[in-house]
mmCIF file of all heavy atoms in Angstrom:
data_model
loop_
_atom_site.group_PDB
_atom_site.id
_atom_site.type_symbol
_atom_site.label_atom_id
_atom_site.label_comp_id
_atom_site.label_asym_id
_atom_site.label_seq_id
_atom_site.Cartn_x
_atom_site.Cartn_y
_atom_site.Cartn_z
ATOM 1 N N ASP B 312 -24.455 57.231 46.410
ATOM 2 C CA ASP B 312 -25.359 56.600 47.392
ATOM 3 C C ASP B 312 -25.712 55.166 46.978
ATOM 4 O O ASP B 312 -26.883 54.768 47.004
ATOM 5 C CB ASP B 312 -26.653 57.424 47.539
ATOM 6 C CG ASP B 312 -26.360 58.863 47.920
ATOM 7 O OD1 ASP B 312 -25.346 59.082 48.643
ATOM 8 O OD2 ASP B 312 -27.092 59.765 47.476
ATOM 9 N N GLY B 313 -24.689 54.415 46.559
ATOM 10 C CA GLY B 313 -24.912 53.003 46.242
ATOM 11 C C GLY B 313 -25.665 52.789 44.944
ATOM 12 O O GLY B 313 -26.164 51.693 44.678
ATOM 13 N N ARG B 314 -25.766 53.815 44.117
ATOM 14 C CA ARG B 314 -26.495 53.665 42.860
ATOM 15 C C ARG B 314 -25.614 54.121 41.693
ATOM 16 O O ARG B 314 -24.878 55.112 41.817
ATOM 17 C CB ARG B 314 -27.774 54.512 42.919
ATOM 18 C CG ARG B 314 -28.807 54.155 41.848
ATOM 19 C CD ARG B 314 -30.121 54.888 42.069
ATOM 20 N NE ARG B 314 -30.923 54.342 43.162
ATOM 21 C CZ ARG B 314 -31.731 53.278 43.040
ATOM 22 N NH1 ARG B 314 -31.857 52.659 41.888
ATOM 23 N NH2 ARG B 314 -32.431 52.845 44.062
ATOM 24 N N VAL B 315 -25.674 53.383 40.582
ATOM 25 C CA VAL B 315 -24.915 53.753 39.390
ATOM 26 C C VAL B 315 -25.681 54.865 38.672
ATOM 27 O O VAL B 315 -26.738 54.620 38.093
ATOM 28 C CB VAL B 315 -24.730 52.547 38.437
ATOM 29 C CG1 VAL B 315 -23.950 52.961 37.192
ATOM 30 C CG2 VAL B 315 -24.020 51.402 39.147
ATOM 31 N N VAL B 316 -25.139 56.063 38.738
ATOM 32 C CA VAL B 316 -25.847 57.210 38.160
ATOM 33 C C VAL B 316 -25.532 57.320 36.662
ATOM 34 O O VAL B 316 -26.380 57.661 35.856
ATOM 35 C CB VAL B 316 -25.437 58.509 38.886
ATOM 36 C CG1 VAL B 316 -26.172 59.707 38.305
ATOM 37 C CG2 VAL B 316 -25.699 58.383 40.370
ATOM 38 N N ASP B 317 -24.290 57.012 36.315
ATOM 39 C CA ASP B 317 -23.918 57.084 34.904
ATOM 40 C C ASP B 317 -22.851 56.026 34.620
ATOM 41 O O ASP B 317 -22.101 55.622 35.520
ATOM 42 C CB ASP B 317 -23.387 58.484 34.557
ATOM 43 C CG ASP B 317 -23.583 58.808 33.070
ATOM 44 O OD1 ASP B 317 -23.985 57.897 32.310
ATOM 45 O OD2 ASP B 317 -23.329 59.958 32.678
ATOM 46 N N ALA B 318 -22.806 55.565 33.363
ATOM 47 C CA ALA B 318 -21.839 54.522 32.978
ATOM 48 C C ALA B 318 -21.432 54.740 31.531
ATOM 49 O O ALA B 318 -22.253 55.143 30.701
ATOM 50 C CB ALA B 318 -22.473 53.142 33.137
ATOM 51 N N SER B 319 -20.155 54.496 31.253
ATOM 52 C CA SER B 319 -19.690 54.573 29.866
ATOM 53 C C SER B 319 -18.493 53.639 29.692
ATOM 54 O O SER B 319 -18.013 53.041 30.655
ATOM 55 C CB SER B 319 -19.290 56.014 29.517
ATOM 56 O OG SER B 319 -18.040 56.317 30.096
ATOM 57 N N PHE B 320 -18.072 53.527 28.448
ATOM 58 C CA PHE B 320 -16.894 52.673 28.196
ATOM 59 C C PHE B 320 -16.093 53.199 27.023
ATOM 60 O O PHE B 320 -16.588 53.997 26.208
ATOM 61 C CB PHE B 320 -17.333 51.225 27.951
ATOM 62 C CG PHE B 320 -17.900 50.974 26.568
ATOM 63 C CD1 PHE B 320 -17.111 50.373 25.579
ATOM 64 C CD2 PHE B 320 -19.203 51.348 26.242
ATOM 65 C CE1 PHE B 320 -17.627 50.151 24.292
ATOM 66 C CE2 PHE B 320 -19.719 51.125 24.969
ATOM 67 C CZ PHE B 320 -18.926 50.521 23.985
ATOM 68 N N GLU B 321 -14.848 52.775 26.966
ATOM 69 C CA GLU B 321 -13.986 53.036 25.813
ATOM 70 C C GLU B 321 -13.307 51.735 25.428
ATOM 71 O O GLU B 321 -13.046 50.895 26.282
ATOM 72 C CB GLU B 321 -12.898 54.057 26.167
ATOM 73 C CG GLU B 321 -13.389 55.488 26.237
ATOM 74 C CD GLU B 321 -12.224 56.440 26.494
ATOM 75 O OE1 GLU B 321 -11.437 56.183 27.424
ATOM 76 O OE2 GLU B 321 -12.112 57.414 25.753
ATOM 77 N N GLY B 322 -13.003 51.619 24.153
ATOM 78 C CA GLY B 322 -12.292 50.413 23.716
ATOM 79 C C GLY B 322 -12.873 49.893 22.424
ATOM 80 O O GLY B 322 -13.988 50.256 22.047
ATOM 81 N N ALA B 323 -12.093 49.074 21.760
ATOM 82 C CA ALA B 323 -12.554 48.501 20.501
ATOM 83 C C ALA B 323 -12.401 46.991 20.576
ATOM 84 O O ALA B 323 -11.402 46.484 21.072
ATOM 85 C CB ALA B 323 -11.719 49.036 19.343
ATOM 86 N N GLY B 324 -13.411 46.310 20.115
ATOM 87 C CA GLY B 324 -13.345 44.849 20.122
ATOM 88 C C GLY B 324 -14.233 44.275 19.052
ATOM 89 O O GLY B 324 -14.641 44.983 18.118
ATOM 90 N N CYS B 325 -14.566 43.008 19.201
ATOM 91 C CA CYS B 325 -15.432 42.360 18.227
ATOM 92 C C CYS B 325 -16.867 42.838 18.435
ATOM 93 O O CYS B 325 -17.166 43.562 19.392
ATOM 94 C CB CYS B 325 -15.340 40.849 18.384
ATOM 95 S SG CYS B 325 -15.905 40.282 19.988
ATOM 96 N N ALA B 326 -17.750 42.406 17.564
ATOM 97 C CA ALA B 326 -19.149 42.836 17.628
ATOM 98 C C ALA B 326 -19.780 42.442 18.957
ATOM 99 O O ALA B 326 -20.526 43.217 19.556
ATOM 100 C CB ALA B 326 -19.932 42.216 16.467
ATOM 101 N N ILE B 327 -19.461 41.232 19.416
ATOM 102 C CA ILE B 327 -20.088 40.749 20.653
ATOM 103 C C ILE B 327 -19.614 41.584 21.845
ATOM 104 O O ILE B 327 -20.405 41.989 22.692
ATOM 105 C CB ILE B 327 -19.747 39.256 20.883
ATOM 106 C CG1 ILE B 327 -20.155 38.413 19.668
ATOM 107 C CG2 ILE B 327 -20.397 38.732 22.158
ATOM 108 C CD1 ILE B 327 -21.621 38.437 19.316
ATOM 109 N N SER B 328 -18.323 41.862 21.916
ATOM 110 C CA SER B 328 -17.822 42.599 23.081
ATOM 111 C C SER B 328 -18.282 44.061 23.047
ATOM 112 O O SER B 328 -18.625 44.624 24.081
ATOM 113 C CB SER B 328 -16.293 42.486 23.190
ATOM 114 O OG SER B 328 -15.661 43.222 22.182
ATOM 115 N N THR B 329 -18.314 44.656 21.868
ATOM 116 C CA THR B 329 -18.751 46.045 21.774
ATOM 117 C C THR B 329 -20.241 46.164 22.127
ATOM 118 O O THR B 329 -20.637 47.037 22.912
ATOM 119 C CB THR B 329 -18.504 46.594 20.351
ATOM 120 O OG1 THR B 329 -17.125 46.448 20.040
ATOM 121 C CG2 THR B 329 -18.887 48.061 20.253
ATOM 122 N N ALA B 330 -21.048 45.250 21.580
ATOM 123 C CA ALA B 330 -22.481 45.285 21.877
ATOM 124 C C ALA B 330 -22.725 45.013 23.357
ATOM 125 O O ALA B 330 -23.584 45.642 23.984
ATOM 126 C CB ALA B 330 -23.219 44.255 21.013
ATOM 127 N N SER B 331 -21.957 44.111 23.914
ATOM 128 C CA SER B 331 -22.131 43.792 25.332
ATOM 129 C C SER B 331 -21.834 45.017 26.196
ATOM 130 O O SER B 331 -22.575 45.318 27.140
ATOM 131 C CB SER B 331 -21.211 42.623 25.715
ATOM 132 O OG SER B 331 -21.395 42.289 27.071
ATOM 133 N N ALA B 332 -20.770 45.729 25.853
ATOM 134 C CA ALA B 332 -20.404 46.924 26.615
ATOM 135 C C ALA B 332 -21.485 47.985 26.471
ATOM 136 O O ALA B 332 -21.886 48.631 27.444
ATOM 137 C CB ALA B 332 -19.066 47.458 26.128
ATOM 138 N N SER B 333 -21.971 48.144 25.241
ATOM 139 C CA SER B 333 -22.981 49.162 24.971
ATOM 140 C C SER B 333 -24.264 48.878 25.753
ATOM 141 O O SER B 333 -24.807 49.749 26.441
ATOM 142 C CB SER B 333 -23.252 49.199 23.461
ATOM 143 O OG SER B 333 -24.328 50.037 23.164
ATOM 144 N N ILE B 334 -24.726 47.648 25.657
ATOM 145 C CA ILE B 334 -25.995 47.292 26.321
ATOM 146 C C ILE B 334 -25.817 47.268 27.846
ATOM 147 O O ILE B 334 -26.700 47.684 28.600
ATOM 148 C CB ILE B 334 -26.534 45.948 25.765
ATOM 149 C CG1 ILE B 334 -26.856 46.110 24.271
ATOM 150 C CG2 ILE B 334 -27.764 45.494 26.541
ATOM 151 C CD1 ILE B 334 -27.281 44.835 23.568
ATOM 152 N N MET B 335 -24.649 46.843 28.303
ATOM 153 C CA MET B 335 -24.406 46.827 29.747
ATOM 154 C C MET B 335 -24.470 48.238 30.340
ATOM 155 O O MET B 335 -25.125 48.458 31.374
ATOM 156 C CB MET B 335 -23.049 46.204 30.066
ATOM 157 C CG MET B 335 -22.770 46.150 31.570
ATOM 158 S SD MET B 335 -21.033 45.847 31.962
ATOM 159 C CE MET B 335 -20.364 47.503 31.755
ATOM 160 N N THR B 336 -23.791 49.170 29.664
ATOM 161 C CA THR B 336 -23.788 50.530 30.228
ATOM 162 C C THR B 336 -25.199 51.118 30.239
ATOM 163 O O THR B 336 -25.579 51.812 31.178
ATOM 164 C CB THR B 336 -22.840 51.460 29.431
ATOM 165 O OG1 THR B 336 -23.115 51.336 28.036
ATOM 166 C CG2 THR B 336 -21.383 51.120 29.691
ATOM 167 N N GLU B 337 -25.999 50.783 29.227
ATOM 168 C CA GLU B 337 -27.403 51.230 29.230
ATOM 169 C C GLU B 337 -28.162 50.609 30.392
ATOM 170 O O GLU B 337 -28.935 51.267 31.068
ATOM 171 C CB GLU B 337 -28.090 50.776 27.930
ATOM 172 C CG GLU B 337 -27.957 51.714 26.764
ATOM 173 C CD GLU B 337 -28.906 51.292 25.638
ATOM 174 O OE1 GLU B 337 -29.242 50.093 25.539
ATOM 175 O OE2 GLU B 337 -29.309 52.158 24.857
ATOM 176 N N THR B 338 -27.923 49.310 30.585
ATOM 177 C CA THR B 338 -28.726 48.547 31.549
ATOM 178 C C THR B 338 -28.437 48.926 33.006
ATOM 179 O O THR B 338 -29.358 48.988 33.818
ATOM 180 C CB THR B 338 -28.480 47.024 31.352
ATOM 181 O OG1 THR B 338 -28.630 46.723 29.980
ATOM 182 C CG2 THR B 338 -29.454 46.194 32.168
ATOM 183 N N VAL B 339 -27.173 49.148 33.307
ATOM 184 C CA VAL B 339 -26.848 49.347 34.727
ATOM 185 C C VAL B 339 -27.126 50.778 35.201
ATOM 186 O O VAL B 339 -27.160 51.030 36.402
ATOM 187 C CB VAL B 339 -25.379 48.973 35.078
ATOM 188 C CG1 VAL B 339 -25.120 47.505 34.807
ATOM 189 C CG2 VAL B 339 -24.382 49.868 34.346
ATOM 190 N N LYS B 340 -27.328 51.677 34.258
ATOM 191 C CA LYS B 340 -27.620 53.060 34.657
ATOM 192 C C LYS B 340 -28.900 53.102 35.488
ATOM 193 O O LYS B 340 -29.942 52.593 35.060
ATOM 194 C CB LYS B 340 -27.804 53.940 33.416
ATOM 195 C CG LYS B 340 -26.595 54.806 33.119
ATOM 196 C CD LYS B 340 -26.917 55.812 32.031
ATOM 197 C CE LYS B 340 -25.856 55.735 30.946
ATOM 198 N NZ LYS B 340 -26.056 56.723 29.889
ATOM 199 N N GLY B 341 -28.822 53.684 36.667
ATOM 200 C CA GLY B 341 -29.996 53.794 37.532
ATOM 201 C C GLY B 341 -30.148 52.623 38.489
ATOM 202 O O GLY B 341 -30.963 52.659 39.403
ATOM 203 N N LYS B 342 -29.351 51.561 38.263
ATOM 204 C CA LYS B 342 -29.446 50.393 39.153
ATOM 205 C C LYS B 342 -28.581 50.609 40.397
ATOM 206 O O LYS B 342 -27.580 51.332 40.362
ATOM 207 C CB LYS B 342 -28.957 49.134 38.424
ATOM 208 C CG LYS B 342 -29.751 48.769 37.178
ATOM 209 C CD LYS B 342 -31.061 48.080 37.522
ATOM 210 C CE LYS B 342 -31.721 47.446 36.306
ATOM 211 N NZ LYS B 342 -32.060 48.369 35.224
ATOM 212 N N THR B 343 -28.980 49.951 41.493
ATOM 213 C CA THR B 343 -28.103 49.956 42.665
ATOM 214 C C THR B 343 -26.927 49.036 42.379
ATOM 215 O O THR B 343 -26.983 48.186 41.467
ATOM 216 C CB THR B 343 -28.826 49.431 43.924
ATOM 217 O OG1 THR B 343 -29.126 48.048 43.711
ATOM 218 C CG2 THR B 343 -30.106 50.222 44.198
ATOM 219 N N VAL B 344 -25.882 49.195 43.184
ATOM 220 C CA VAL B 344 -24.695 48.351 43.004
ATOM 221 C C VAL B 344 -25.087 46.878 43.159
ATOM 222 O O VAL B 344 -24.654 46.019 42.384
ATOM 223 C CB VAL B 344 -23.602 48.756 44.020
ATOM 224 C CG1 VAL B 344 -22.468 47.740 44.028
ATOM 225 C CG2 VAL B 344 -23.078 50.155 43.691
#
Side-chain angles (χ1 to χ4, degrees):
Chain B
D312 304 328
R314 196 172 285 278
V315 179
V316 180
D317 206 352
S319 76
F320 77 101
E321 284 184 310
C325 62
I327 304 300
S328 71
T329 303
S331 181
S333 173
I334 297 175
M335 181 196 81
T336 49
E337 273 191 333
T338 310
V339 298
K340 257 189 231 183
K342 299 281 192 300
T343 66
V344 170

